[in-house]
Amino acid sequence: MNQLIPLPTSVQPADGVFLLTADTTIAANPATAEVTAIAELLAAHLRPATGYPLPVRPADGPPISGRLFSLALDPADSSLGDEGYTLHITPDTVRLTAHQPAGLFYGGQTLRQLLPPAIESATPQPGPWPLPAGMIRDTPRFVWRGLMLDVARHFFGVADVKRVIDLAAAYKLNRLHLHLADDQGWRIEIKSWPELARVGGQTAVTTADGRAWPGGYYTQADYAEIVAYAAARYVTVVPEIDMPGHTNAALAAYAELNADDQPRPPYTGIEVGFSSLAIDKEITYRFIDDVIGELAALTPGDYLHIGGDEALATDKADYVRFIERVAAIVAGHGKRVVGWEEIGQAHLSPTAVAQHWAPGHAAAAAAQGAKVILSPAPRVYLDMKYDEATPLGLVWAGKISVRTAYDWQPETQLPGVSEDSLLGVEAALWAETLTTIDDVEFMLFPRLPGVAELGWSAAGRDWEGYRPRLAAHGARWEAMGVNFHRTEEVDWE
Ligand code: TNX
């Protein structure tokens, strides 16, 4: 029980173990579609390595013989909130309870970590499968525990995104922010503006050794598949269309979006800050309304991200006017607007969310009542190299060791942004230098679990306590086939 990441709120070990055996049944109580789906997902995680049938049954159905593992909603314990759970393990039973279904999902993730690492294997392993007896009660610190994936600089297909969702959800992250459009690529089909994906979807960043790299985009059906897969794992997809800068792919696809009506040539380098939508043209806002409207219809989550960073080719007054107008468009489609912290320069409604990364506008956003997500670049830009020897990654925000990504305090990170303004934390993975899922895994692991712990665990965090817990996860990643960085900061088991 001392290897869990994120660190639970309270853990009381007891004597003995519960042995997961071939005659274990998972009971769902109540056996609603949602609770049953969580139980089935957990069973699906445990079946390949154990080889056990692990049937899921309604708790109020025919009597269950053999060993019992129950998932139950407890309407009385509202102190568990929307995401908390209790996990009570005795030599005879496992009882997982939560106030809301998400808590059952998170308790299931904890349970996976309590089993031997071989449980993560895709093929039958010898076992045995002990779960240590004890009692865990666990609730999250922040409602927003995110990961941003840049699919614009290089495209990652549906299977890769599902893999990222699985790995993030295993550490109780609950937001996947998809950076869907940038200078180098447009990655989502928009039916009313088909050239965005058809033209803008063709390009990607040229690799450092000069190879053109294929683009790609999600059809709306692909995107819906990602959203549904994420939702089943209690991850909300937050789509981002970056604007008014970072828009060359759109400006290449449609001449009329440019102030001079000239289409821009496709761009496959890694400079930032040179592009801008035409702030004074009405067609710009028709375009945005159409894009936001289609995305809003495809996105059940509350949030739409409009970027707003590094608009270096837009002057300040234009920028402010643009952001205020676009924020109103997002609200008009029933969504809460999220933007990089530069949007703090505009007038914001208190429902807006500003994402801190570096340039110093988060306090201005918070002062207007907006909420803040913390993605400080020198801590959680996981596209930065670990150290000089890292073959992938950038260095503009520094080198980010595993300790650097973990060893900071969200509560006091930003002067002028008080704790009640904080919605949570989000790691960011920009993809200028990353082309494959192996690259993505290498940069995320082992740093991402530390950011997940900052988002989930309110107290008890410290680097010396974290190191040995993290070390125990190496064997899990091996069993999962995760390409992780074996940093010497940790004594891998
Ligand atoms: C800054 S952070 C950017 C991105 C780059 C990233 C590379 C931010 C809001 N803008 O456009 O991809 O640095 O680390």
Side-chain angles (χ1 to χ4, degrees):
M1 288 205 163
N2 54 11
Q3 300 183 339
L4 297 171
I5 300 175
L7 190 67
T9 312
S10 92
V11 176
Q12 293 165 275
D15 290 336
V17 296
F18 174 94
L19 270 186
L20 193 68
T21 54
D23 71 344
T24 304
T25 296
I26 303 182
N29 183 15
T32 58
E34 190 171 6
V35 174
T36 303
I38 296 164
E40 285 290 357
L41 207 53
L42 182 60
H45 270 306
L46 307 180
R47 284 176 191 138
T50 62
Y52 302 153
L54 302 174
V56 173
R57 299 274 180 266
D60 62 356
I64 292 169
S65 65
R67 304 171 65 72
L68 191 64
F69 176 161
S70 78
L71 271 63
L73 289 180
D74 178 357
D77 196 351
S78 59
S79 68
L80 288 172
D82 290 343
E83 301 187 306
Y85 65 92
T86 63
L87 183 58
H88 192 186
I89 302 172
T90 71
D92 300 319
T93 56
V94 174
R95 275 185 295 137
L96 170 56
T97 61
H99 186 57
Q100 295 294 333
L104 294 177
F105 177 78
Y106 293 127
Q109 304 317 304
T110 298
L111 188 118
R112 285 169 65 189
Q113 292 187 16
L114 291 171
L115 286 161
I119 196 67
E120 300 298 343
S121 174
T123 55
Q125 303 296 309
W129 305 106
L131 282 159
M135 174 79 186
I136 295 175
R137 186 183 168 87
D138 199 11
T139 57
R141 165 77 182 84
F142 290 115
V143 299
W144 188 293
R145 305 180 302 278
L147 169 63
M148 189 216 73
L149 181 65
D150 172 11
V151 296
R153 271 55 175 270
H154 289 108
F155 180 65
F156 299 94
V158 174
D160 290 349
V161 176
K162 287 181 174 176
R163 168 80 164 174
V164 169
I165 291 167
D166 281 333
L167 294 172
Y171 290 94
K172 303 186 176 74
L173 293 175
N174 67 356
R175 302 281 185 262
L176 178 69
H177 166 181
L178 286 176
H179 185 77
L180 289 169
D182 210 301
D183 292 318
Q184 301 87 347
W186 184 285
R187 305 299 180 208
I188 177 76
E189 174 191 19
I190 299 295
K191 294 196 194 272
S192 53
W193 293 73
E195 302 298 299
L196 291 169
R198 206 188 60 76
V199 175
Q202 278 178 24
T203 42
V205 167
T206 298
T207 60
D209 57 2
R211 282 174 296 152
W213 201 264
Y217 65 89
Y218 308 117
T219 64
Q220 294 200 352
D222 290 339
Y223 180 81
E225 186 179 335
I226 290 169
V227 166
Y229 190 87
R233 288 149 187 83
Y234 295 88
V235 171
T236 301
V237 171
V238 180
E240 177 187 353
I241 301 294
D242 204 345
M243 56 185 124
H246 290 276
T247 42
N248 193 79
L251 298 173
Y254 285 98
E256 58 268 46
L257 295 178
N258 295 277
D260 59 8
D261 285 314
Q262 298 303 308
R264 294 297 178 264
Y267 181 71
T268 65
I270 66 167
E271 296 305 316
V272 296
F274 59 86
S275 54
S276 183
L277 291 171
I279 307 294
D280 289 323
K281 289 172 87 173
E282 276 311 301
I283 192 170
T284 297
Y285 301 94
R286 282 208 297 284
F287 160 76
I288 292 167
D289 190 56
D290 290 341
V291 169
I292 298 285
E294 289 194 35
L295 262 185
L298 288 165
T299 305
D302 289 340
Y303 307 92
L304 281 193
H305 201 306
I306 60 166
D309 58 312
E310 299 174 319
L312 309 179
T314 319
D315 49 64
K316 165 117 186 257
D318 283 353
Y319 175 82
V320 165
R321 191 156 51 90
F322 175 86
I323 293 295
E324 289 171 0
R325 195 158 167 192
V326 174
I329 291 173
V330 172
H333 288 284
K335 300 294 181 186
R336 278 181 79 171
V337 70
V338 189
W340 296 103
E341 68 186 279
E342 286 96 323
I343 67 166
Q345 299 169 99
H347 175 76
L348 298 178
S349 98
T351 60
V353 178
Q355 184 166 10
H356 162 64
W357 63 284
H361 301 291
Q368 303 186 59
K371 295 284 188 226
V372 173
I373 301 165
L374 296 176
S375 301
R379 297 290 185 177
V380 300
Y381 266 32
L382 302 186
D383 58 312
M384 296 300 123
K385 291 178 184 289
Y386 290 90
D387 55 39
E388 308 70 47
T390 311
L392 304 165
L394 302 175
V395 292
W396 71 263
K399 315 257 175 32
I400 302 184
S401 66
V402 175
R403 180 172 185 164
T404 300
Y406 175 75
D407 200 1
W408 58 284
Q409 306 304 326
E411 294 79 1
T412 52
Q413 172 69 16
L414 265 187
V417 177
S418 73
E419 230 182 296
D420 15 294
S421 292
L422 294 182
L423 207 53
V425 299
E426 182 171 299
L429 193 67
W430 301 98
E432 286 92 335
T433 66
L434 315 177
T435 53
T436 66
I437 186 69
D438 278 357
D439 294 351
V440 167
E441 291 177 3
F442 187 81
M443 299 309 264
L444 292 181
F445 288 88
R447 292 182 290 195
L448 184 65
V451 184
E453 178 153 307
L454 288 168
W456 182 278
S457 311
R461 300 185 313 261
D462 74 275
W463 170 246
E464 285 311 325
Y466 180 66
R467 269 182 78 225
R469 278 188 288 128
L470 186 61
H473 286 240
R476 289 178 191 279
W477 300 330
E478 269 170 17
M480 293 178 196
V482 173
N483 179 38
F484 68 101
H485 172 49
R486 289 186 161 272
T487 171
E488 286 172 13
E489 297 172 82
V490 174
D491 304 317
W492 299 104
E493 284 179 2

